[in-house]
Amino acid sequence: MAANSFSAPAQAVKGVAKTLAHRRQAVVGFLFALIVILVLHTTVVFGPSWSTNDIVVLQSTSGEQNARTSSPPALLAPNNSIQVHDIDNGQKDGAAKNDGERRDQLGQTVKNDANDKMKEDLVGQELDGDVKHGAPGKPICDLSDPRYDICEITGDARAMGANRTVLYVPPADERGTDGPEWAIKDQSRKNLGDIKEVNVKTLSAAQSLVAPECTSRHAVPAVVFAMNGIIGNPWHDLSDVLIPLFITTRAYDGEVQFLVTELQPWFVDKYRLVLTNLSRYDIIDFNKDAGVRCYPHIIVGLRSHGDLDIDPARTPRNYTLLDFRLYIRDVFSLPPEGQGIPYKEANKKNAASNDNGTVTENPKPRLLLINRGESRKFVNLPEVSAAVQAAGFELLVMEPSRDMGMEEFARAVDSCDVLMGVHGAALTNFFFLRTNAVLLQVVGLGLEREALHYYGNQAKAVMVQHIQYFISAEESTLYEKYGKDHPAVSDPDSVHKQGWQGAKRYFWAEQDIRLNITRFAPTLHQLIRTLRE
Ligand SMILES: *[C@@H]1O[C@H](CO)[C@@H](O)[C@H](O)[C@H]1NC(C)=O
Ligand SMILES: *[C@@H]1O[C@H](CO)[C@@H](O)[C@H](O)[C@H]1NC(C)=O
Ligand SMILES: *[C@@H]1O[C@H](CO)[C@@H](O)[C@H](O)[C@H]1NC(C)=O
Ligand SMILES: *[C@@H]1O[C@H](CO)[C@@H](O)[C@H](O)[C@H]1NC(C)=O
Ligand SMILES: *[C@@H]1O[C@H](CO)[C@@H](O)[C@H](O)[C@H]1NC(C)=O
Ligand SMILES: *[C@@H]1O[C@H](CO)[C@@H](O)[C@H](O)[C@H]1NC(C)=O
């Protein structure tokens, strides 16, 4: 296998480059990729998407009384509130937002992602979910991370959805003459326009005396977070919400309640298995909650360590991104770690049956080809499909649809040895692959760095092999459209240097792929050899 060559010009011929480089080598920046991912990938989903209008959150209508499975009753306070989940009135799905709005937000997102120099300061604070952040004299909120703000109260914490406020009532001997106040965005992107602020306040001595009475008391911690922002494609669903939620709450082993601002029914429905595992309590539609909910511990906001990433040094229990993949697989009831890739397992079985005289056909490795519906699609899909089969693969082609259940989709990905597609959010499904399976990324012109930064490095980190096919200029429809001398074709870097508008237009929006089968075939053959090893 050739060494990774993403820094070479796109036109340079590199049939296959198995990326061996360490993930952190990825060039930071090129954040406009994110913008484009947002704007352009909304239809290619991590499994299915918002299909129903009338989803009732987790169905149940009561609070902790309906604790799922093995919730220890001892943890529950005697008088829990009745929480009615009525979210059937016209909450729009994430995809309904217009692109212009998202684009604006993205301008801010770029800033947001820019650096992680504050990281060191935070390390100590995140090592343990039980650290007492609301201790007297200590600030409750930490605004120092470039990606997110977070507040943490330990003690008498009261959450009031009606006015988006979380209060800390200090013990009598620790009350001051006034109390500090914060307003933070309760998700992993603190600069995102449409994430509204939640107020967090330590009550003064005088205010404490007239603090709003609890209408329900709970024995487990609560986390307040926003379910809007730029979710709507699998990359953002995971990077912005699910991974941050995992980082922030996994260590509670389900003993935590989610108070969700801007709750999106489609998101709850789509990721139900994950959400109900992270919290065994009902999800509260916080915007519609009229009570004063009292908890011994409340976190407002979600921690995030990078683009689709986890920094184990900053998580309780040292969770890694690999832990997250194994966790997700577990939650979707996919085969446990230790199973080989499907092709290897099939070969084993085949060998066994040949031993007892049953003659069976040799198994073929399975390749799941994701075809994007709109931009960056394969314009010669039939030829590509034929080439994949001719190389000896069993082929599955999927255009992820909104009607397909997540579990079904996860099983389909798990059953394959290779997930192939053009750079785009659907590749996020590599989280459902088995260890040592392959993500085969077809890298269009101008997308070399993004291929690694948003998918390739993460795939490697979770023990999925990452193979890149860098197209030649002739394989991009930009070549047909603009000719070989146009800068988007002859010098993609020069387009990047002029800003994301141009990059977005050419590389993400206008570019389709016409794979040169002759040129691509060696990649497939190499891939088969790799799988047989
Ligand atoms: C917020 O709402 C609660 C309960 O609905 C109320 O008791 C409290 O006074 C309100 N606080 C503010 C600042 O409006
Ligand atoms: C909750 O229970 C406690 C103790 O049983 C009681 O003092 C309090 O008034 C109750 N609160 C509500 C809102 O019923
Ligand atoms: C969450 O999933 C893990 C792994 O599958 C399981 O051990 C645990 O019991 C689940 N927790 C809840 C609350 O469902
Ligand atoms: C996390 O890793 C650090 C070093 O990488 C180690 O010192 C620490 O004990 C680990 N913590 C846990 C909970 O495993
Ligand atoms: C031979 O082995 C295969 C795989 O283990 C098994 O499914 C099959 O039933 C066996 N056939 C006989 C005749 O023992
Ligand atoms: C396809 O690739 C082959 C091998 O690299 C090359 O010889 C041929 O000219 C290419 N065809 C087109 C249409 O670019």
Side-chain angles (χ1 to χ4, degrees):
M1 290 259 171
N4 163 26
S5 62
F6 80 91
S7 56
Q11 304 87 315
V13 175
K14 277 289 174 190
V16 178
K18 181 175 177 181
T19 56
L20 302 169
H22 192 272
R23 57 186 314 208
R24 289 297 176 192
Q25 286 173 351
V27 177
V28 180
F30 292 89
L31 294 162
F32 37 88
L34 196 56
I35 290 159
V36 179
I37 285 169
L38 282 179
V39 173
L40 303 172
H41 298 213
T42 52
T43 60
V44 186
V45 295
F46 191 80
S49 186
W50 42 89
S51 49
T52 44
N53 308 323
D54 56 349
I55 302 152
V56 173
V57 180
L58 301 181
Q59 274 125 34
S60 108
T61 51
S62 77
E64 285 63 29
Q65 287 153 344
N66 277 8
R68 279 164 198 66
T69 62
S70 56
S71 168
L75 280 169
L76 304 177
N79 50 3
N80 288 297
S81 67
I82 300 304
Q83 178 66 35
V84 178
H85 304 267
D86 78 7
I87 50 165
D88 54 349
N89 54 350
Q91 292 229 17
K92 295 292 270 176
D93 65 51
K97 328 199 84 175
N98 68 59
D99 281 353
E101 205 176 312
R102 292 185 176 204
R103 224 172 276 132
D104 292 346
Q105 293 159 7
L106 276 176
Q108 299 179 318
T109 306
V110 171
K111 277 191 294 187
N112 188 17
D113 286 330
N115 71 78
D116 55 1
K117 62 175 185 280
M118 302 298 219
K119 216 167 171 176
E120 300 303 315
D121 301 338
L122 294 171
V123 168
Q125 299 180 21
E126 294 182 18
L127 281 178
D128 189 327
D130 294 331
V131 168
K132 303 278 187 281
H133 289 284
K138 293 245 176 75
I140 286 169
C141 297
D142 181 347
L143 314 184
S144 65
D145 192 277
R147 297 184 78 93
Y148 63 88
D149 290 334
I150 194 130
C151 305
E152 201 156 346
I153 297 172
T154 302
D156 184 348
R158 306 185 186 191
M160 302 170 299
N163 46 27
R164 304 180 74 85
T165 299
V166 175
L167 301 177
Y168 172 49
V169 186
D173 57 342
E174 289 165 14
R175 291 173 189 163
T177 50
D178 54 27
E181 234 176 294
W182 297 264
I184 71 154
K185 302 203 174 200
D186 53 338
Q187 207 201 71
S188 61
R189 293 180 180 275
K190 70 194 235 180
N191 297 320
L192 216 49
D194 76 339
I195 297 197
K196 293 193 219 150
E197 290 173 332
V198 171
N199 306 302
V200 177
K201 179 167 174 48
T202 297
L203 296 189
S204 66
Q207 289 163 335
S208 294
L209 297 175
V210 293
E213 293 288 335
C214 301
T215 57
S216 66
R217 290 181 189 277
H218 309 267
V220 297
V223 176
V224 178
F225 70 92
M227 208 176 259
N228 64 338
I230 46 182
I231 56 175
N233 80 41
W235 195 92
H236 283 286
D237 295 349
L238 264 70
S239 188
D240 296 3
V241 175
L242 292 174
I243 290 177
L245 196 59
F246 176 85
I247 290 172
T248 309
T249 68
R250 178 67 189 106
Y252 291 117
D253 289 321
E255 291 300 326
V256 59
Q257 182 158 47
F258 299 152
L259 311 181
V260 177
T261 55
E262 277 67 61
L263 186 144
Q264 307 290 323
W266 68 264
F267 190 93
V268 173
D269 195 47
K270 185 167 173 179
Y271 297 109
R272 183 179 305 274
L273 287 175
V274 182
L275 295 171
T276 57
N277 185 276
L278 287 174
S279 164
R280 63 174 87 245
Y281 301 98
D282 285 350
I283 294 178
I284 303 303
D285 187 348
F286 199 46
N287 292 13
K288 297 188 177 156
D289 192 62
V292 180
R293 309 178 64 90
C294 295
Y295 296 87
H297 189 122
I298 296 182
I299 297 172
V300 181
L302 295 177
R303 298 192 169 93
S304 163
H305 301 158
D307 290 333
L308 200 70
D309 205 1
I310 298 179
D311 176 359
R314 298 170 67 191
T315 60
R317 304 187 194 165
N318 291 354
Y319 293 122
T320 61
L321 196 62
L322 173 61
D323 292 329
F324 178 76
R325 179 173 70 82
L326 299 179
Y327 171 76
I328 286 288
R329 287 182 53 88
D330 221 12
V331 162
F332 279 88
S333 304
L334 299 177
E337 192 60 355
Q339 290 262 331
I341 55 173
Y343 180 53
K344 288 254 159 79
E345 292 297 321
N347 272 318
K348 264 193 232 163
K349 218 168 156 187
N350 201 42
S353 58
N354 283 344
D355 285 350
N356 66 17
T358 316
V359 179
T360 51
E361 237 181 281
N362 280 337
K364 291 177 172 179
R366 281 161 69 98
L367 184 149
L368 173 55
L369 176 58
I370 297 203
N371 194 36
R372 296 175 52 85
E374 290 165 16
S375 61
R376 282 162 285 142
K377 60 184 169 295
F378 291 112
V379 295
N380 58 341
L381 184 66
E383 273 178 73
V384 176
S385 302
V388 167
Q389 286 167 309
F393 287 95
E394 184 185 335
L395 175 70
L396 250 76
V397 180
M398 280 183 154
E399 301 194 17
S401 96
R402 297 178 179 198
D403 305 326
M404 194 186 297
M406 275 291 280
E407 290 166 74
E408 184 193 346
F409 194 80
R411 274 196 300 276
V413 176
D414 168 72
S415 76
C416 290
D417 304 286
V418 181
L419 174 66
M420 171 180 167
V422 182
H423 179 78
L427 297 187
T428 311
N429 289 293
F430 72 76
F431 278 102
F432 291 131
L433 288 171
R434 296 190 191 175
T435 295
N436 291 330
V438 176
L439 171 61
L440 170 54
Q441 188 172 188
V442 173
V443 183
L445 293 189
L447 297 171
E448 297 81 8
R449 280 163 293 227
E450 292 73 14
L452 282 183
H453 182 76
Y454 295 107
Y455 303 96
N457 294 327
Q458 290 86 340
K460 283 179 286 175
V462 301
M463 294 169 73
V464 165
Q465 305 187 60
H466 182 229
I467 291 181
Q468 298 180 86
Y469 175 77
F470 295 102
I471 67 164
S472 63
E474 291 83 355
E475 292 170 279
S476 171
T477 54
L478 295 174
Y479 183 95
E480 297 167 14
K481 194 165 176 186
Y482 295 105
K484 68 175 165 45
D485 297 325
H486 188 281
V489 177
S490 63
D491 187 8
D493 273 350
S494 70
V495 174
H496 276 297
K497 285 196 186 100
Q498 286 168 30
W500 69 270
Q501 283 286 356
K504 187 209 77 168
R505 171 179 165 195
Y506 293 117
F507 306 134
W508 279 272
E510 290 192 9
Q511 176 167 228
D512 288 322
I513 309 289
R514 184 184 306 282
L515 270 195
N516 176 340
I517 301 307
T518 314
R519 187 171 176 272
F520 181 56
T523 299
L524 291 171
H525 293 128
Q526 176 71 61
L527 185 50
I528 291 234
R529 284 194 292 275
T530 303
L531 293 170
R532 286 194 180 128
E533 270 164 20

